[in-house]
DNA sequence: CAGTGGTCTAGACCACCTG
DNA sequence: AGGTGGTCTAGACCACTGG
């Protein structure tokens, strides 16, 4: 079900899209400085105020950052699922050491019904199935299970992922010009099955935090289904609002 | 530690504050229509564009809502902790029936160290301790434990809470002119202790979703510490991003 | 100092809603 | 038709950064 096209497209919206295209195409790399408001206004043949609105909207959505007196710059995208940090339960400022991702495996699997619906695919459509663990000082704290449509991300394999380094999202942005943002996150408390228990070296009755996340493009098209299971005895997962 | 005062205070920021004051004071009630941009601009002796910026900022922060062709209105605050909904795990659109809160008890307890620090109180400062359960079609799905500084919310008792109806936040807004917004949320998977297990009629090894939330005023001052324990076998807690 | 983003103004016109 | 918010312009000046 495609979204309704608005009958009226403001100028700043068109400018916004043209700037996004240039970032996605790599013409403007991460942390590169954009032309000034006045130069952009001249190039797009609009007033400075209109260019400004486009730039501020893009800043709000995480595409750019601006510094008074310095300029406007391309914001580097999240290289991995990052919005959230580990903290001591009940405390709100005591951060844990960060976790490091480690790729376990990449395979192709047919889509189940739930995931197919979430990703708006036909049932049985092929998916990349990525397994990844997160370690903190040698201790495995979390497991990720990532599902991506093969159709959209052809040629994705273990070698490419390993070579890429710098996280899955960084690779997708470079290779496929797709920037992924979270659409929904679901939280549950769960017990691990045998496989996950082994990976995490967890006790049979140790409760885990399950986070199921649907990631999508800027346009809102869902392209990533992901579950993270986190050992939350020692650390909470904290999100800013 | 008080926040730094900015040396320069834009006009729209001052206007913003004056509008917030009128809402907090009750002069403009929920869903009341504000004067038009031009009228406000005239009253505050600024241009329409400046009044507009203040109004749009307030809209972004949830104080107002605007409808083209109709007007600008006071947004009713959340009457309870609401940002999040129950959905079927792994599905992203299938909402459960909503839960209904039910007050269990109100007491006064001295603050422990963690909560005192989170609420920026001295240790041992008195707190209102509110217990509340959430039911869905007769089944208890969640328990809340709410801690509020007595110093700030005097005269809060069970009778008042019961009489008020419409949720805790609605009461705080009416009675104390405080609008609470979330500052942080922490998620964990946990097992219930005996007391909670009894309240929820949960199995001993049933994993629960623990959400610890720090709520604060619009100015960022923390005033509410809350933990919610949710039976998440059947339902996930989903947040929009 | 020059260059950037940030604020503010006055005015015009457009899109949308309601009666 | 009249009133609302939404867009857009041209121009001025301010605050901040860095060389």
């Amino acid at each position: 079900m495609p979204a309704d096209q608005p009958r009226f497209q403001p100028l700043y919206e068109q400018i916004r899209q043209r700037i996004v295209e240039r970032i996605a195409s790599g013409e403007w790399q991460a942390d590169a400085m954009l032309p000034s408001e006045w130069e952009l206004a001249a190039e797009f043949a609009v007033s400075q105020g209109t260019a400004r609105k486009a730039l501020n909207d893009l800043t709000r959505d995480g595409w750019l950052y601006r510094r008074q007196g310095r300029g406007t710059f391309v914001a580097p995208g999240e290289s991995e699922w990052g919005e959230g940090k580990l903290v001591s339960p009940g405390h709100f400022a005591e951060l844990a050491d960060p976790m490091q991702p480690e790729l376990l495996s990449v395979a192709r699997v047919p889509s189940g019904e739930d995931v197919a619906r979430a990703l708006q695919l036909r049932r049985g459509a092929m998916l990349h199935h990525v397994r990844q663990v997160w370690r903190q000082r040698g201790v495995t704290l979390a497991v990720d299970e990532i599902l991506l449509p093969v159709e959209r991300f052809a040629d994705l394999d273990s070698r490419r992922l390993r070579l890429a380094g710098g996280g899955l999202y960084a690779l997708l942005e470079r290779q496929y010009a797709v920037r992924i943002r979270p659409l929904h996150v679901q939280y549950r408390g769960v017990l691990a099955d045998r496989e996950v228990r082994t990976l995490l070296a967890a006790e049979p009755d140790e409760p885990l935090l399950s986070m199921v996340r649907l990631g999508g493009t800027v346009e809102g098209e869902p392209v990533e289904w992901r579950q993270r299971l986190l050992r939350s005895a020692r650390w909470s997962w904290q999100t800013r609002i």
Side-chain angles (χ1 to χ4, degrees), chain A:
Chain A
M1 40 178 148
D4 295 291
Q5 286 299 327
R7 353 181 196 294
F8 172 70
Q9 180 91 326
L11 272 180
Y12 63 77
E13 192 56 40
Q14 304 169 32
I15 293 166
R16 185 193 146 98
Q17 287 169 17
R18 291 172 67 178
I19 293 175
V20 167
E21 284 164 16
R22 293 206 197 171
I23 296 173
S25 77
E27 181 177 339
W28 288 333
Q29 303 275 338
D31 293 314
M33 182 173 167
L34 266 63
S36 74
E37 291 181 350
W38 286 100
E39 289 170 314
L40 286 171
E43 179 185 339
F44 293 128
V46 297
S47 73
Q48 170 261 1
T50 301
R52 181 182 187 74
K53 172 142 179 63
L55 293 171
N56 281 342
D57 286 357
L58 287 165
T59 300
R60 175 174 39 76
D61 293 348
W63 287 93
L64 305 174
Y65 59 95
R66 316 193 73 185
R67 295 288 177 269
Q68 182 172 171
R70 296 191 50 206
T72 302
F73 305 86
V74 178
E78 295 278 335
S79 64
E80 252 293 350
W81 180 3
E83 57 243 283
K85 44 196 176 192
L86 297 184
V87 298
S88 301
H91 299 246
F92 292 90
E94 295 179 23
L95 272 71
D97 294 336
M99 302 185 292
Q100 300 301 330
E102 182 177 316
L103 186 66
L104 284 189
S105 64
V106 182
R108 296 186 180 210
V109 300
S111 163
E113 189 171 343
D114 292 357
V115 176
R117 194 182 314 150
L119 294 180
Q120 299 174 8
L121 302 169
R122 67 198 174 284
R123 189 179 167 183
M126 290 308 287
L127 300 172
H128 294 293
H129 178 280
V130 182
R131 269 232 183 260
Q132 179 174 268
V133 293
W134 292 84
R135 292 190 208 282
Q136 182 202 55
R137 283 177 289 161
V139 180
T140 305
L141 281 187
V143 194
D144 278 6
E145 187 176 11
I146 308 167
L147 296 170
L148 297 159
V150 170
E151 184 184 302
R152 177 154 199 139
F153 304 106
D155 309 322
L156 193 70
D157 57 25
S158 162
R159 185 184 53 84
R160 208 177 279 260
L161 267 168
R162 266 180 232 280
L163 282 177
L168 174 63
Y169 293 164
L171 174 68
L172 297 184
E173 184 160 348
R174 270 201 312 277
Q175 207 74 26
Y176 302 94
V178 172
R179 182 169 284 198
I180 293 187
R181 66 181 183 90
L183 299 178
H184 300 286
V185 188
Q186 296 179 354
Y187 300 93
R188 299 172 70 200
V190 299
L191 297 177
D193 61 22
R194 260 250 311 274
E195 184 191 357
V196 169
R197 216 154 61 217
T198 308
L199 286 171
L200 291 176
E203 299 299 315
D205 63 343
E206 179 178 334
L208 305 176
L209 173 63
S210 158
M211 298 179 267
V212 175
R213 189 179 102 135
L214 194 63
T217 62
V218 181
E219 294 78 28
E221 186 195 359
V223 293
E224 181 207 33
W225 193 101
R226 182 191 286 232
Q227 177 170 38
R228 176 168 299 174
L229 293 167
L230 174 74
R231 298 184 70 179
S232 55
R234 215 168 127 59
W235 304 111
S236 288
W237 183 259
Q238 179 169 311
T239 58
R240 58 204 147 298
I241 298 294

